[in-house]
Amino acid sequence: MLKSLLNIIKAFRLLSPKNKNLNSEEEFYSAFNAMKSGVWIIDKEQRILKSNKAAERLFNQNNVEIIGKKCWKIVHGTDQPIKECPLLKAGQSLQQESMELQINDRWFEVVVDPILDSCGKPSKYIHIITDITDSKMAAAELSVQSQRIKTFFNSINDAIFIHPLKQEGFEPFVEVNDIACKRYGYTHDELMKLSAPDITARPDVNGHAAPDCRKTLLEKRQLVFETSHIKKSGETFPVEINSNIFHQNGKPYILAVVRDITNRKIAEKELRKSEQAFRNLFDNHTAVKLIINPDTGRIVSANKAAGDFYGWPCTTLTQMNINQINIKPPDEIKKLMENAKIQERILFNFQHRLADGSIRDVEVFSSGVEINGRQYLHSIIHDITEQKKAAKDMEELRIQNWHLKKQESLSRMAGAIAHHFNNHLMGIMGNLELSLKSIDRGDSPLKNITKSMQTAQNAAKINGLMLTYLGKNTLGKMQIDMSKVCSMTLPLLRASLPVNIVLEADFPAQGPMVYGNENQIQQLVTNLVTNAAESYPKKGTIYLNVKVVFATDIPKKYRFPVDWQPDHDDYACITVADFGYGIEAQNIEKIFDPFFSTKATGRGLDLPVVLGIAQANNGVITVESKLGEGSTFRFFTPVVAQSNSQ
């Protein structure tokens, strides 16, 4: 027994080379039970003789349940050994046998060593079973990670070359990716036999793509440069190389990521051609052109036409700021440039100062343009001084002509006023005469005096309307919400309209804010809606809306008063539109004359009152109409404070 134990100790030493001092049975069993792996000593009939503590824990059985049983009964729960049983194999091969097996969700490594007797036959076996689940999972995860890295390595769209770093010369590549093989036309094995100079077009004497590349890479550990590479077919192409030094197992390597920049080079060439074409077009164009930095206002480029127009040499202009030319305040210029920068194209009317101090009216077309990755304004300047002067002269002539035409309407208006007041005066005088006769008879004159008062009041109403037409009723002005005023008027308007007329309204929830008389605005809307309703012979729809517009959007044709000019940037607009009878073209300029009307029901005072209210509120009325297609009246008045909804 002791001899067999010593043989087991000897074998155990071979299995556990760290345990060199197992010279007694007590020391052996101490080490035997201290092992983390499950260990059995099995006799030649495959029965378990000894089992350590780890085996008991592993199989959740005590020594009494384990000793004497066949190992496969404990491990596999079978009555016969499995096909690949390492115990049976060790009995035949007389050497160590092993296998990996899965029990439930755990993996184990089984190692069996035979203990040979003096005749060289197995007398016992040492059976060691170790839980390798964690290492198995770690190996699997490592394999997955390696596969992911390989997949990533081969999925990169740039060619990748890895080769050892040498102070002089080059060694063959140790790894390349699939893109490198595809792009250069080699198989993987062929490319692995090559080195950097083999794929470099026109390398220097040291095999480098450019002088001092190796020196720079060694100093900075990273280098990006451009060169030309050559394919297996002999075709050369431009590349950008990003080289980095890394270490593996203490040895330095170069990782080179090589990008084909053929398309980029073509694009750069085309860009240079485009830039040259733009420069030629810019410099030689007859129109005045400036390139301006919108952030600073500095003129970065000016063409020859600009130098001729402004009177400064182009070299001087490019040292100037646009504020030195544009006479608007710098803050306003900066705001306008910011708007031009973010919009595709904007038209401005400015006044520019020339080198001789004179001021010229100019029309400026500005649009954003990108140059070398930065945003600039490309401005084309047209001198419209003479054009504006001619337009001003024409406008003055038009106004003079309009005033001449008004002589006819003034004569008609004077006759109408005289007729109205004569009728009222005759009524007053008649009633007063009857009152005197009543007094002589001793009767009460109250009835006739009352009629006189009523007639005088009617005359006073006409007088008030005439004052409104002249824009003289300007009392009671304050800041008002245009949408709110119109909304308050809607119920009365709808109630007063015929049942066959529909009024559709569209107002903002709030604003715009204007400075005016609330009652006058309501009167203006009422008169315009009433005028629209009278244009329909039977049924129809009137459209009423409120919005904010730019001063430049206010129509210039059929604008009343004709000499009105905007003096604000933003205007509130009340629009009343219909699809009724419309107005004949020859009558549009007469419709605001007092007592002029083409309608049987018209008094000839509603639209003149509208014009007077517009004048009293610093506004203007515009008319668009076509006979048989309807009319659109718009009232514009300056916005004094826009609400947030705008």
Side-chain angles (χ1 to χ4, degrees):
M1 179 67 182
L2 181 58
K3 184 178 178 181
S4 298
L5 182 59
L6 292 176
N7 286 335
I8 294 171
I9 293 171
K10 181 180 179 182
F12 192 77
R13 282 191 187 138
L14 294 174
L15 292 175
S16 306
K18 292 182 180 179
N19 300 315
K20 298 296 184 179
N21 57 343
L22 303 180
N23 294 318
S24 68
E25 185 174 356
E26 181 180 352
E27 290 174 346
F28 165 72
Y29 280 115
S30 176
F32 182 68
N33 282 313
M35 290 187 68
K36 293 182 179 180
S37 300
V39 183
W40 290 329
I41 299 174
I42 301 175
D43 64 15
K44 61 183 179 180
E45 280 76 31
Q46 291 87 39
R47 290 185 177 85
I48 300 171
L49 299 176
K50 294 291 181 182
S51 176
N52 71 347
K53 297 293 184 183
E56 294 179 38
R57 290 191 298 272
L58 187 62
F59 296 102
N60 198 25
Q61 297 183 37
N62 59 35
N63 255 344
V64 175
E65 296 172 305
I66 294 175
I67 301 302
K69 291 184 179 179
K70 302 283 182 137
C71 65
W72 47 79
K73 181 70 175 177
I74 302 299
V75 176
H76 308 291
T78 61
D79 294 329
Q80 297 294 328
I82 63 174
K83 182 180 179 181
E84 300 297 324
C85 179
L87 184 64
L88 297 183
K89 287 185 175 182
Q92 295 173 358
S93 66
L94 303 181
Q95 62 184 9
Q96 186 184 93
E97 298 287 347
S98 64
M99 72 172 294
E100 290 182 1
L101 61 90
Q102 186 177 12
I103 303 175
N104 297 324
D105 60 344
R106 308 295 292 177
W107 279 90
F108 299 90
E109 180 186 48
V110 179
V111 178
V112 177
D113 272 280
I115 306 299
L116 306 180
D117 58 16
S118 58
C119 297
K121 294 183 178 181
S123 62
K124 290 182 176 58
Y125 300 90
I126 294 181
H127 184 291
I128 302 175
I129 182 166
T130 305
D131 187 338
I132 59 170
T133 304
D134 292 341
S135 60
K136 189 87 171 175
M137 291 177 64
E141 179 64 25
L142 182 60
S143 176
V144 170
Q145 292 293 343
S146 297
Q147 186 59 41
R148 286 176 181 170
I149 292 172
K150 185 176 180 180
T151 301
F152 174 74
F153 184 72
N154 285 314
S155 66
I156 294 174
N157 199 38
D158 292 324
I160 299 179
F161 299 88
I162 299 175
H163 57 92
L165 173 62
K166 295 180 66 178
Q167 292 293 331
E168 295 292 338
F170 291 85
E171 290 188 8
F173 302 120
V174 296
E175 189 56 82
V176 297
N177 67 347
D178 292 346
I179 291 296
C181 299
K182 180 179 179 181
R183 189 158 292 163
Y184 287 78
Y186 293 97
T187 65
H188 185 272
D189 290 341
E190 288 174 335
L191 205 48
M192 293 288 284
K193 295 176 182 177
L194 303 179
S195 62
D198 297 321
I199 61 171
T200 302
R202 300 180 300 277
D204 67 4
V205 293
N206 295 318
H208 295 289
D212 298 327
C213 274
R214 179 66 59 88
K215 180 181 178 182
T216 305
L217 180 60
L218 289 173
E219 290 176 352
K220 297 185 176 180
R221 317 295 291 177
Q222 192 269 345
L223 179 64
V224 178
F225 62 96
E226 293 182 7
T227 186
S228 294
H229 272 185
I230 185 168
K231 300 180 181 180
K232 183 179 180 180
S233 63
E235 177 190 352
T236 61
F237 62 102
V239 294
E240 179 187 77
I241 302 178
N242 191 328
S243 294
N244 291 269
I245 296 177
F246 72 98
H247 288 78
Q248 184 174 349
N249 299 326
K251 186 177 180 180
Y253 291 85
I254 295 176
L255 171 66
V257 180
V258 183
R259 175 164 296 175
D260 184 346
I261 57 173
T262 303
N263 291 334
R264 191 175 85 189
K265 288 296 183 181
I266 293 173
E268 288 175 355
K269 184 178 179 181
E270 291 299 320
L271 180 60
R272 285 193 295 271
K273 288 171 62 177
S274 298
E275 287 177 348
Q276 186 58 45
F278 172 78
R279 174 53 61 183
N280 291 336
L281 179 64
F282 179 81
D283 287 337
N284 301 322
H285 204 283
T286 56
V288 177
K289 292 189 174 188
L290 299 175
I291 302 295
I292 302 168
N293 185 330
D295 298 322
T296 63
R298 189 175 73 84
I299 300 171
V300 298
S301 189
N303 68 349
K304 184 178 182 298
D308 294 340
F309 173 68
Y310 288 105
W312 283 291
C314 292
T315 53
T316 302
L317 281 171
T318 54
Q319 296 175 359
M320 296 173 64
N321 193 288
I322 194 63
N323 297 335
Q324 297 172 263
I325 292 175
N326 197 320
I327 68 171
K328 278 188 175 294
D331 290 345
E332 187 175 345
I333 295 173
K334 183 172 178 60
K335 182 180 178 181
L336 293 172
M337 286 195 298
E338 289 173 354
N339 291 336
K341 180 180 177 181
I342 60 176
Q343 297 187 36
E344 184 177 351
R345 187 183 180 97
I346 290 187
L347 170 64
F348 301 100
N349 284 322
F350 291 133
Q351 287 188 311
H352 280 188
R353 181 182 292 105
L354 308 187
D356 61 8
S358 61
I359 302 297
R360 304 292 288 180
D361 291 301
V362 295
E363 189 177 63
V364 180
F365 291 89
S366 288
S367 58
V369 60
E370 186 175 313
I371 302 175
N372 296 328
R374 294 194 62 178
Q375 200 71 18
Y376 294 92
L377 289 182
H378 176 212
S379 295
I380 303 174
I381 297 97
H382 298 295
D383 184 357
I384 59 171
T385 305
E386 300 305 323
Q387 179 183 334
K388 285 195 71 173
K389 185 178 182 301
K392 183 179 179 182
D393 292 342
M394 287 185 66
E395 181 66 15
E396 289 176 353
L397 288 173
R398 189 177 74 86
I399 293 172
Q400 289 176 11
N401 185 52
W402 181 77
H403 282 301
L404 289 173
K405 287 182 178 180
K406 283 295 151 184
Q407 297 300 319
E408 178 187 348
S409 64
L410 287 173
S411 298
R412 183 174 59 252
M413 181 179 70
I417 292 173
H419 176 73
H420 274 273
F421 275 94
N422 186 54
N423 288 341
H424 289 307
L425 186 60
M426 291 297 293
I428 293 170
M429 292 176 64
N431 280 296
L432 289 175
E433 185 176 343
L434 290 173
S435 297
L436 290 173
K437 289 181 179 181
S438 297
I439 293 173
D440 290 340
R441 293 194 302 267
D443 296 333
S444 173
L446 182 60
K447 181 178 179 181
N448 297 112
I449 292 174
T450 301
K451 287 182 178 180
S452 297
M453 288 294 295
Q454 289 174 345
T455 305
Q457 288 172 354
N458 290 334
K461 285 182 180 179
I462 294 176
N463 183 62
L465 292 174
M466 291 305 299
L467 288 173
T468 301
Y469 165 71
L470 295 171
K472 302 300 182 180
N473 288 340
T474 59
L475 298 176
K477 295 177 72 172
M478 63 180 66
Q479 195 171 105
I480 58 175
D481 185 322
M482 186 74 84
S483 294
K484 183 178 178 182
V485 171
C486 291
S487 297
M488 291 168 58
T489 313
L490 277 180
L492 292 175
L493 281 175
R494 286 183 169 132
S496 64
L497 290 173
V499 293
N500 60 325
I501 302 298
V502 176
L503 177 60
E504 292 190 2
D506 181 19
F507 309 141
Q510 193 177 8
M513 302 300 294
V514 301
Y515 187 71
N517 183 285
E518 184 175 310
N519 292 330
Q520 287 184 348
I521 299 300
Q522 289 180 332
Q523 183 66 53
L524 178 144
V525 173
T526 301
N527 287 9
L528 288 177
V529 170
T530 301
N531 180 72
E534 292 173 351
S535 71
Y536 286 109
K538 293 183 180 180
K539 62 179 181 178
T541 302
I542 301 170
Y543 301 92
L544 171 64
N545 70 59
V546 175
K547 63 181 180 179
V548 174
V549 301
F550 295 120
T552 53
D553 294 332
I554 299 176
K556 295 182 179 180
K557 188 176 182 181
Y558 296 132
R559 178 191 285 181
F560 303 92
V562 295
D563 55 352
W564 180 90
Q565 293 296 328
D567 54 5
H568 289 70
D569 292 330
D570 298 324
Y571 279 77
C573 174
I574 296 177
T575 301
V576 177
D578 65 72
F579 293 96
Y581 184 74
I583 306 169
E584 293 180 290
Q586 66 268 23
N587 288 334
I588 290 180
E589 291 191 351
K590 301 176 183 178
I591 59 175
F592 292 104
D593 293 347
F595 308 109
F596 175 83
S597 178
T598 60
K599 295 176 287 189
T601 58
R603 298 184 301 167
L605 285 174
D606 288 350
L607 290 181
V609 167
V610 166
L611 177 59
I613 292 173
Q615 293 180 92
N617 289 272
N618 194 26
V620 68
I621 295 288
T622 65
V623 184
E624 294 177 16
S625 186
K626 193 171 183 180
L627 192 63
E629 296 183 8
S631 304
T632 300
F633 286 79
R634 292 185 175 90
F635 164 59
F636 300 91
T637 188
V639 171
V640 294
Q642 284 186 253
S643 65
N644 291 335
S645 63
Q646 300 299 308

